[in-house]
Amino acid sequence: MGQDTTQEAEASPIVVIDKVGKVFTGEDGEEKAALSDVSLSIRRGGIYGIIGLSGAGKSTLIRLINGIERATSGTVTVDGHRIGDLDARQLRVERRRIGMIFQQFNLMPSRTVFDNILFPLKDSDLGKDERRERVTHLLSLVGLDQKADAYPGELSGGQQQRVAIARALASNPKILLCDEATSALDPATTVSILHLLREVNRSLGVTVIIVTHQMSVVKEICDRVAVLDSGRLVEEGSVFSVFANPQAKLTRSFIATTSNIAKLGELVDGGDEDGDGVPDGEPLVRLKPGEKLVSIRYVHKGVFEPLIATVIRRFGVDINILLSDVEVVDGHPIGGTTGIWSGSEDGIRQAIAYLKDKDINVEVLR
């Protein structure tokens, strides 16, 4: 019975957003909708991404989760508690269960690393020794054992964000909200912070919710993703399914920023960077008689066979790969290749049929 109860709790959502709207009123009395009819559920113990352009409502959404803002319509439920129904005291208690980190770190410059992490525990029920033990454990978790007596100004940006993560975890939260937490960091430091967040998620069981405008961040760490556009939810699903088969125009444009396949237009028609419908230059690919320009994409999980080698060997088709962007997302290959295929008409036809039978998306471009 105990094990079943634990499994049910892990499977249940920790955050439920139900038909939420948020309207802000400006000084001139004009109303502006930041969110409109947004509904989503966030699984307990997962890593959830919320992505969108500036002004899409991402930060507003997580401010509703921790009760900094109240929804104008709809409900926000966190771990079984409706945030809008809580009084001031109850909300303070709930916020202790929700940690948060920001783009600018928000550390206290006049306090040491140790004291920055200790600060959230000043009103806790823990004894003095227990508090210090907690801070020491968190310093070890974020890899800053040797920086306890340093000041924020003596640390790199990545180290400061590690301190911020440790401070956010001090009160032992169930949820960690990350608002553009890696936007001010260089690419290598960003990857190290994302790996740390994954380790926090796995070792402590904390649900991590990441707000970002970078699809590469979502691809690196998240299990599921929601895409916001002008305050509306336009797409939601597992990271693999969203990358493999994006439905919304905005999602496709985000994914294009992480993929070499975005350069496909230059191969086929010379590209159209200004979006005026007129090619910017001459096509980079000129086919000889009997050649075809073919794009293949992995769109389903479970495909691990050396398919291109099989096509070459079995069907006598030569493939000159021009673009390739295959990587692993959620433990499965995703992406695709584009190349010039040459061989007999029958061989190419059979090769295409073979790939489609393997759940590979095949498109003959020329």
Side-chain angles (χ1 to χ4, degrees), residues 10-313:
E10 291 175 348
S12 65
I14 193 169
V15 176
V16 178
I17 311 292
D18 186 24
K19 298 179 180 178
V20 160
K22 177 63 181 178
V23 176
F24 290 101
T25 303
E27 294 181 359
D28 58 359
E30 184 177 350
E31 293 187 342
K32 176 177 175 56
L35 294 170
S36 301
D37 197 29
V38 173
S39 295
L40 56 86
S41 295
I42 298 176
R43 180 179 64 83
R44 187 183 304 274
I47 304 179
Y48 196 94
I50 301 172
I51 191 167
L53 300 173
S54 297
K58 309 182 300 294
S59 294
T60 299
L61 187 57
I62 63 169
R63 288 166 68 88
L64 294 177
I65 292 173
N66 67 7
I68 294 177
E69 300 285 353
R70 296 290 181 108
T72 306
S73 59
T75 59
V76 178
T77 305
V78 178
D79 203 19
H81 302 105
R82 281 195 177 187
I83 297 298
D85 294 343
L86 302 181
D87 59 31
R89 183 191 64 81
Q90 292 170 325
L91 190 56
R92 283 195 298 273
V93 172
E94 190 63 28
R95 281 181 183 160
R96 293 195 191 106
R97 300 172 181 149
I98 304 173
M100 190 163 183
I101 58 174
F102 306 88
Q103 178 179 347
Q104 300 301 328
F105 319 134
N106 292 352
L107 301 178
M108 293 175 285
S110 62
R111 298 189 182 221
T112 65
V113 166
F114 192 96
D115 287 340
N116 264 277
I117 301 171
L118 182 66
F119 185 76
L121 298 175
K122 63 185 180 67
D123 294 325
S124 75
D125 296 331
L126 297 176
K128 182 178 179 180
D129 290 343
E130 290 176 306
R131 295 179 195 180
R132 298 187 70 82
E133 183 179 332
R134 174 76 177 156
V135 173
T136 300
H137 168 71
L138 290 170
L139 280 168
S140 176
L141 178 67
V142 301
L144 293 177
D145 311 64
Q146 307 303 315
K147 299 291 184 179
D149 297 325
Y151 288 87
E154 300 171 333
L155 305 179
S156 67
Q159 289 173 329
Q160 289 187 60
Q161 193 60 285
R162 287 173 179 268
V163 177
I165 291 171
R167 182 184 59 186
L169 296 172
S171 57
N172 199 26
K174 296 181 179 179
I175 298 172
L176 180 61
L177 303 177
C178 309
D179 192 0
E180 298 283 7
T182 60
S183 295
L185 305 176
D186 63 76
T189 305
T190 291
V191 171
S192 72
I193 292 297
L194 294 178
H195 287 176
L196 174 59
L197 290 173
R198 184 186 290 119
E199 176 59 27
V200 165
N201 168 259
R202 290 174 177 173
S203 62
L204 303 181
V206 176
T207 302
V208 179
I209 302 174
I210 296 177
V211 160
T212 182
H213 64 276
Q214 299 170 306
M215 205 63 172
S216 58
V217 170
V218 172
K219 180 169 59 176
E220 179 72 28
I221 190 176
C222 296
D223 308 317
R224 296 185 68 84
V225 60
V227 183
L228 292 180
D229 187 7
S230 301
R232 294 187 177 276
L233 180 67
V234 295
E235 191 153 359
E236 198 276 345
S238 72
V239 170
F240 185 93
S241 65
V242 168
F243 267 82
N245 190 25
Q247 300 298 306
K249 181 180 179 181
L250 179 62
T251 311
R252 292 194 293 271
S253 70
F254 273 129
I255 292 173
T257 65
T258 71
S259 171
N260 287 328
I261 303 302
K263 301 174 183 176
L264 187 60
E266 297 178 23
L267 293 178
V268 178
D269 55 21
D272 182 19
E273 290 189 6
D274 54 15
D276 62 359
V278 179
D280 299 329
E282 290 295 317
L284 299 180
V285 172
R286 296 187 181 278
L287 300 179
K288 298 176 182 178
E291 293 182 336
K292 295 186 183 298
L293 182 65
V294 180
S295 174
I296 68 172
R297 292 178 57 238
Y298 297 92
V299 294
H300 296 283
K301 292 183 177 181
V303 179
F304 292 100
E305 300 174 50
L307 296 174
I308 291 179
T310 301
V311 165
I312 294 172
R313 184 177 63 253

